[in-house]
Amino acid sequence: MTDIWQQLSQHRAQTKSTAIQSLFDAPDRFARFSAQTDGLLLDYSKTSVDATAMTLLQQLCDSRGVMARLDAMMSGQKINTTEDRAALHTALRASPTTEIMVDGVNVVPAVQDTLKRMERFAEAIRRGQITAAHGARFTDVVNIGIGGSDLGPAMATLALAPYHDGPRCHFVSNVDGAHVHDVLATLNPATTLVIIASKTFTTIETMTNAATAIDWLRTALGDDVSAHLAAVSTAHDKTAALGIDPDRVFGFADWVGGRYSIWGPVGLPLMIAIGADHFCQFLAGAAAMDQHAATAPFQDNLPVLLAILGIWHNNICGYDSRAILPYDQRLSRFAAYLQQLDMESNGKSVALDGSALTRASGPVVWGEPGTNGQHAFYQLLHQGSQVVPAEFLIAAEGHEADLAHHHHLLVANCLAQSEALMRGRTTDEARHIAAARGFTGTDLDQMAAHLTFAGNRPSITLAYPKLTPFVLGQLIALYEHRVFVEGTIWGINSFDQWGVELGKELAQSLLPLVDGSADSAAHAEKDGSTRGLLAHLAQHNRREHPN
Ligand code: F6P
């Protein structure tokens, strides 16, 4: 029997010329090529997959053992082999009665204990029972972290703004002093709580920003600022060294990857902002998606469907990026969040056994909210020389009941974009428009060419009732499982991130060359470009070289 990949490619070759729009000649296209769970709809009818493609993609999933590996992940097996760890973010949202064994120990009770400690701390901050050094209520929380220790809580806190009824939350991630400066400049140290979030407590950006924030607190409040500090970390020795009270340190096990950590202590600022009850609804949304991913049959399984559509577009159609387009302003950091989730997980070139991959793995993920993107990069989506599968997200209802007319416009724009991408505009239609604008002869031909849209560009739409904590939990978990299923099909380890190490090491080695403490031999070891850039930047640093 021919290899399934080959069969998929052959099927694509045979059906490539079929317009997506023509697939709607079948009146039940939408019903057959969409799926729902708990009010979340995935419409993939505006893609080029047909029944044969779906059958082959299902065979591909089966042949790669997707469901067995999902079961292995969720039951605590050490599937992250390069780090010799389980990948158990699902345990952070599992029901308290679940039993998940790692190294012979049920990990769920410890997860629940930490959750309860977080709840007590967050609620006491919100109620003013835990106060700042001089008894004042905390008005602001600054989370200092980067990557998984920033993107999740920053994205989710923004997404769930309608539920905020606690202190204001701010996020500092970049080592660029501008970030910490601009955030702290707006705040009163006497009523600010600083949470230092770093799984390892060694990340240079976070440690540098934390030191700056602690100095800021000390300058205003004196040496003992422990009342203003909390930490999210597994490295208790390092948090203690920074003077953080162990009661205010919230840890998690090494089997929670940074980019999968929003569900536990890394979510502390979110919990402080929206309260423990809403945070638990967020966990419940993710848990519902876990249950769905593990049990729903192929044709109904949203994460599996989203994954195989990714494989179809990336590996079979050759579209090597995907645009995440939430028509939801509060999801404006969702694409950035998914960039880490997807690209740090699946941006790999070797299989689990270390052999080189023979086909493409993770695509480039990017995006911005609609309608803003429409007035920026959608030109390329509609008429550019490359096809970018689009993933639209839209709520049935906005939070602003008095602004329903805005939401109507938002929905109309979202649906208009997927329709336009699919149907395009024919040359005949373009000629009519050009003629109506007064073009004639060869000018009309030229103008018609500019006005023609090839169309036939695929898109997926995720529609949810309203952006509630439950729905946000569902959406994030949906994408987590999608990344997992794709990684399994490619045969890679989606839970390590060795590719980020070299740059970190080189930054360490470059620091003395930047701050002037290195000798000439260290400069000589660098390549010509790096040496040239160092010299140029040093020469133009007017503070260090005023003349
Ligand atoms: O550099 C990548 C990374 O390790 C991410 O995987 C992680 O989310 C981020 O850095 C932050 O790490 P930490 O929480 O240990 O500071």
Side-chain angles (χ1 to χ4, degrees):
M1 186 179 129
T2 340
D3 173 65
I4 298 169
W5 288 106
Q6 245 177 298
Q7 292 183 54
L8 278 161
S9 296
Q10 280 163 7
H11 182 64
R12 171 66 182 161
Q14 283 156 9
T15 54
K16 200 174 171 189
S17 59
T18 306
I20 297 172
Q21 203 175 359
S22 72
L23 300 174
F24 286 88
D25 291 347
D28 58 352
R29 170 85 186 164
F30 176 78
R32 287 183 57 210
F33 293 83
S34 64
Q36 300 192 42
T37 179
D38 281 329
L40 176 62
L41 169 82
L42 168 67
D43 169 27
Y44 59 101
S45 58
K46 290 195 190 93
T47 67
S48 55
V49 291
D50 58 12
T52 307
M54 293 304 285
T55 303
L56 290 170
L57 288 162
Q58 180 170 9
Q59 286 171 16
L60 180 66
C61 274
D62 292 346
S63 71
R64 301 299 299 164
V66 165
M67 296 317 274
R69 191 165 159 84
L70 183 68
D71 185 51
M73 178 181 81
M74 290 177 68
S75 61
Q77 289 181 39
K78 294 192 178 177
I79 61 163
N80 176 358
T81 45
T82 61
E83 295 180 319
D84 191 26
R85 289 172 186 169
L88 258 186
H89 42 287
T90 48
L92 297 181
R93 57 232 190 186
S95 116
T97 54
T98 320
E99 197 176 81
I100 305 173
M101 306 297 282
V102 177
D103 292 330
V105 177
N106 178 14
V107 298
V108 175
V111 166
Q112 290 297 317
D113 282 354
T114 305
L115 186 61
K116 291 279 167 288
R117 283 185 58 227
M118 283 170 64
E119 285 177 11
R120 283 196 294 275
F121 184 71
E123 288 302 331
I125 297 273
R126 286 161 55 79
R127 294 194 188 114
Q129 292 156 343
I130 292 181
T131 62
H134 301 294
R137 218 181 165 104
F138 283 115
T139 56
D140 295 272
V141 174
V142 177
N143 186 79
I144 296 181
I146 196 165
S149 298
D150 165 73
L151 284 162
M155 178 276 287
T157 301
L158 179 61
L160 299 177
Y163 300 88
H164 289 198
D165 53 4
R168 292 177 291 266
C169 288
H170 313 265
F171 294 86
V172 173
S173 52
N174 200 324
V175 77
D176 183 346
H179 202 178
V180 68
H181 172 273
D182 289 357
V183 169
L184 297 186
T186 63
L187 303 177
N188 175 5
T191 58
T192 299
L193 175 74
V194 174
I195 300 175
I196 304 164
S198 173
K199 184 176 165 183
T200 54
F201 237 64
T202 57
T203 304
I204 191 74
E205 291 94 330
T206 301
M207 293 303 108
T208 306
N209 281 324
T212 301
I214 290 172
D215 280 352
W216 172 76
L217 289 170
R218 285 195 176 134
T219 303
L221 308 172
D223 277 352
D224 184 5
V225 294
S226 53
H228 291 253
L229 296 177
V232 170
S233 185
T234 53
H236 291 263
D237 50 334
K238 296 192 176 71
T239 57
L242 218 62
I244 301 173
D245 180 346
D247 283 347
R248 288 161 166 242
V249 178
F250 301 89
F252 50 99
D254 68 357
W255 39 253
V256 181
R259 54 191 174 275
Y260 298 89
S261 62
I262 174 68
W263 316 104
V266 166
L268 184 60
L270 174 66
M271 190 190 264
I272 293 174
I274 66 172
D277 288 348
H278 284 135
F279 190 84
C280 287
Q281 289 170 25
F282 172 64
L283 297 185
M289 185 56 72
D290 294 340
Q291 172 73 11
H292 169 80
T295 56
F298 174 85
Q299 69 279 4
D300 300 328
N301 194 312
L302 267 64
V304 171
L305 292 169
L306 200 54
I308 55 109
L309 290 162
I311 299 279
W312 172 255
H313 287 146
N314 186 5
N315 295 106
I316 309 301
C317 303
Y319 308 147
D320 56 8
S321 91
R322 60 173 66 127
I324 307 296
L325 308 170
Y327 275 65
D328 199 319
Q329 180 59 24
R330 294 195 178 101
L331 287 179
S332 58
R333 296 293 288 156
F334 196 60
Y337 177 81
L338 291 188
Q339 280 178 329
Q340 188 197 15
L341 178 64
D342 202 325
M343 295 164 80
E344 202 173 72
S345 297
N346 284 344
K348 312 279 164 71
S349 301
V350 291
L352 274 156
D353 65 2
S355 60
L357 292 186
T358 53
R359 48 182 58 86
S361 61
V364 175
V365 179
W366 58 285
E368 275 288 317
T371 61
N372 294 11
Q374 291 175 204
H375 300 272
F377 55 81
Y378 277 40
Q379 166 63 37
L380 183 148
L381 297 186
H382 288 291
Q383 287 188 314
S385 54
Q386 52 195 300
V387 174
V388 181
E391 300 186 6
F392 295 100
L393 292 98
I394 181 77
E397 188 190 338
H399 280 277
E400 290 65 37
D402 53 334
L403 298 176
H405 60 295
H406 282 254
H407 197 73
H408 295 158
L409 269 170
L410 191 68
V411 172
N413 271 277
C414 180
L415 301 191
Q417 292 303 322
S418 63
E419 185 183 350
L421 285 167
M422 177 175 71
R423 60 182 281 179
R425 183 190 280 147
T426 64
T427 305
D428 271 358
E429 289 166 341
R431 289 180 69 83
H432 275 105
I433 296 168
R437 290 188 183 174
F439 290 92
T440 54
T442 53
D443 286 350
L444 188 147
D445 294 340
Q446 272 182 23
M447 196 58 212
H450 289 285
L451 295 174
T452 299
F453 291 49
N456 208 27
R457 300 194 169 204
S459 70
I460 289 163
T461 300
L462 282 164
Y464 44 91
K466 192 174 185 173
L467 192 57
T468 61
F470 184 90
V471 165
L472 185 67
Q474 278 181 303
L475 285 173
I476 301 174
L478 165 67
Y479 275 94
E480 283 180 350
H481 290 306
R482 184 252 198 118
V483 164
F484 172 82
V485 172
E486 287 183 327
T488 301
I489 291 175
W490 291 318
I492 61 183
N493 181 0
S494 300
F495 298 102
D496 61 11
Q497 56 284 318
W498 300 108
V500 301
E501 295 303 324
L502 179 58
K504 287 185 194 173
E505 285 163 26
L506 291 177
Q508 292 279 5
S509 78
L510 272 159
L511 188 56
L513 280 71
V514 176
D515 69 19
S517 61
D519 57 17
S520 55
H523 281 267
E525 279 175 16
K526 293 293 174 191
D527 61 84
S529 165
T530 305
R531 281 202 312 272
L533 289 166
L534 282 165
H536 178 88
L537 291 168
Q539 194 189 344
H540 289 80
N541 184 329
R542 295 177 66 86
R543 194 173 299 136
E544 287 173 20
H545 303 277
N547 301 316

